[in-house]
Amino acid sequence: VIGVVIGKTDVRSFPDRKNIGTERYTFSFTIRDSPTYFINVQSWGREEYIRSLSESFRVGDCVTIENPLIQSKEAEREEKFNPVTPSAYKLLLSENHSVVKTSSCYDTDTRLLALLHLPVKDPQDYYSLGDIVANGQSLHGRVLNVLAAVMVVSE
């Protein structure tokens, strides 16, 4: 699978239920290879493997994923922590079998770069900041999708 990384989580650790006293590490990212299709990728493993893999690429990089495991996703549980994707599946990376290679999108396919700027949600499913300000009281307690641009970043 070749795609551009459009999102990425930080590395996290969890107590390993099988080996009491040890930790398992994970991180996930989302890749896109067309305007319509994108998929979440998850990796679990030893700290050294997960940290090394996570540090090997960033959002905007093109990646080639070889030998991922394809799994059905548990939509309700997994989409709390990852972007909602149009696929019923996710990719799982294994330290022993999977390989992730990075390359420049210019070297791979410049069309992939354009995919970085496409929203992952239906364009009709957003609220503007103006809508929220005008209708804030009636929207109280609802989960909303917001499409906005960052104008300034400061301390």
Side-chain angles (χ1 to χ4, degrees):
V1 177
I2 298 173
V4 62
V5 177
I6 62 170
K8 183 177 166 189
T9 67
D10 291 331
V11 171
R12 299 182 317 243
S13 67
F14 296 92
D16 189 337
R17 292 184 203 155
K18 294 179 183 175
N19 300 316
I20 305 301
T22 63
E23 305 236 327
R24 290 182 69 203
Y25 288 77
T26 185
F27 85 102
S28 59
F29 58 100
T30 305
I31 63 168
R32 185 176 217 163
D33 67 356
S34 74
T36 309
Y37 296 106
F38 48 98
I39 193 165
N40 291 321
V41 183
Q42 190 162 36
S43 184
W44 288 87
R46 296 176 306 113
E47 180 178 13
E48 300 80 25
Y49 167 70
I50 295 299
R51 289 200 187 280
S52 174
L53 182 59
S54 175
E55 292 168 3
S56 70
F57 61 89
R58 60 182 197 253
V59 172
D61 286 347
C62 288
V63 294
T64 301
I65 301 173
E66 298 175 359
N67 298 323
L69 179 65
I70 300 169
Q71 287 187 328
S72 296
K73 66 181 179 184
E74 299 171 41
E76 197 165 301
R77 185 170 66 100
E78 292 180 31
E79 290 179 346
K80 284 182 183 177
F81 306 106
N82 293 303
V84 176
T85 63
S87 173
Y89 303 97
K90 66 179 179 179
L91 302 180
L92 187 63
L93 300 180
S94 159
E95 182 173 1
N96 297 325
H97 303 289
S98 306
V99 176
V100 177
K101 298 176 185 173
T102 60
S103 62
S104 163
C105 287
Y106 290 109
D107 296 339
T108 308
D109 187 343
T110 55
R111 292 175 294 176
L112 290 174
L113 281 177
L115 302 176
L116 274 172
H117 306 292
L118 294 177
V120 294
K121 292 279 193 176
D122 177 352
Q124 305 305 314
D125 192 25
Y126 289 110
Y127 281 84
S128 70
L129 295 177
D131 290 340
I132 294 170
V133 169
N135 303 305
Q137 194 64 29
S138 65
L139 300 173
H140 182 74
R142 291 185 54 201
V143 175
L144 305 175
N145 295 316
V146 178
L147 181 59
V150 176
M151 292 178 57
V152 176
V153 176
S154 63
E155 291 185 24

